[in-house]
């Protein structure tokens, strides 16, 4: 397993969204959907894209009024890596969109000020799984996104090659 960090600038994120829309298969996509689709397309096996979304408004019974903590729901999509690589980026974005449509709201990339000023970058001390991709906001304006990626060596080589485009 190899672990790397990749910073996607606002320009790179816009390029990904533009690429996802270029074949006109989909009409719109979010930064999260385009970046997720790009990262997901590179493992060399059958993969599950598993991520959390803000589910606070979906709980039944609802959370009490004034609740300010997290309320996370999970969703996922499964596809073989071969199909992901053979098809267009928009195909993968549609898979992400389908998983997102199972819930209503996504978590923000931004973090909270805990009293000592707004953070520039935050993330976990250890990765939750050995094969993982974490998206973390980066920079003072939170416009760039750091992708922390853990993949088998062969898949990491493929991903690093794709970063050169």
């Amino acid at each position: 397993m190899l672990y790397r960090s990749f910073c996607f600038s606002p320009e790179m994120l816009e390029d990904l969204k533009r690429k996802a829309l270029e074949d006109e298969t989909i009409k719109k996509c979010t930064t999260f959907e385009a970046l997720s689709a790009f990262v997901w397309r590179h493992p060399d096996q059958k993969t599950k894209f598993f991520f959390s979304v803000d589910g606070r408004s979906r709980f039944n019974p609802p959370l009490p009024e004034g609740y300010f903590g997290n309320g996370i729901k999970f969703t996922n999509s499964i596809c073989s890596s071969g199909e992901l690589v053979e098809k267009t980026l928009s195909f993968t974005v549609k898979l992400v969109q389908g998983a997102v449509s199972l819930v209503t709201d996504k978590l923000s990339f931004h973090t909270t000020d805990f009293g000592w000023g707004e953070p520039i970058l935050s993330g976990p001390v250890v990765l939750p799984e050995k094969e993982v991709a974490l998206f973390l906001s980066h920079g003072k304006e939170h416009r760039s996104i750091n992708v922390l990626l853990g993949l088998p060596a062969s898949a990491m080589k493929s991903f690093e090659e794709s970063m050169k485009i």
Side-chain angles (χ1 to χ4, degrees), residues 53-114:
V53 295
D54 183 349
R56 289 175 283 193
S57 64
R58 297 183 54 96
F59 291 138
N60 189 8
L63 293 169
E65 188 172 325
Y67 178 81
F68 63 91
N70 286 331
I72 296 172
K73 290 189 70 87
F74 293 96
T75 188
N76 71 80
S77 186
I78 299 174
C79 191
S80 71
S81 62
E83 188 173 14
L84 292 171
V85 172
E86 289 170 7
K87 303 235 176 172
T88 63
L89 184 61
S90 61
F91 170 82
T92 312
V93 168
K94 283 175 70 172
L95 293 176
V96 173
Q97 289 174 335
V100 170
S101 72
L102 299 175
V103 290
T104 57
D105 296 312
K106 287 186 305 299
L107 288 173
S108 168
F109 285 127
H110 306 290
T111 55
T112 305
D113 181 347
F114 291 103

Side-chain angles (χ1 to χ4, degrees), residues 1-133:
M1 292 297 295
L2 297 177
Y3 298 91
R4 303 279 191 271
S5 176
F6 301 90
C7 185
F8 287 78
S9 68
E11 296 78 21
M12 292 169 73
L13 295 168
E14 283 302 314
D15 285 347
L16 279 179
K17 287 170 66 173
R18 197 171 12 263
K19 182 170 178 55
L21 298 171
E22 71 185 5
D23 68 359
E24 299 180 357
T25 300
I26 55 175
K27 301 254 187 269
K28 62 180 181 170
C29 73
T30 66
T31 300
F32 172 79
E33 292 163 348
L35 184 57
S36 297
F38 180 75
V39 170
W40 188 20
R41 290 167 53 95
H42 296 282
D44 58 356
Q45 58 197 3
K46 186 170 186 171
T47 61
K48 176 192 272 188
F49 180 61
F50 182 71
F51 59 101
S52 61
V53 295
D54 183 349
R56 289 175 283 193
S57 64
R58 297 183 54 96
F59 291 138
N60 189 8
L63 293 169
E65 188 172 325
Y67 178 81
F68 63 91
N70 286 331
I72 296 172
K73 290 189 70 87
F74 293 96
T75 188
N76 71 80
S77 186
I78 299 174
C79 191
S80 71
S81 62
E83 188 173 14
L84 292 171
V85 172
E86 289 170 7
K87 303 235 176 172
T88 63
L89 184 61
S90 61
F91 170 82
T92 312
V93 168
K94 283 175 70 172
L95 293 176
V96 173
Q97 289 174 335
V100 170
S101 72
L102 299 175
V103 290
T104 57
D105 296 312
K106 287 186 305 299
L107 288 173
S108 168
F109 285 127
H110 306 290
T111 55
T112 305
D113 181 347
F114 291 103
W116 49 83
E118 187 175 321
I120 294 174
L121 175 66
S122 66
V125 176
V126 295
L127 298 175
E129 300 286 334
K130 65 179 185 172
E131 295 177 351
V132 67

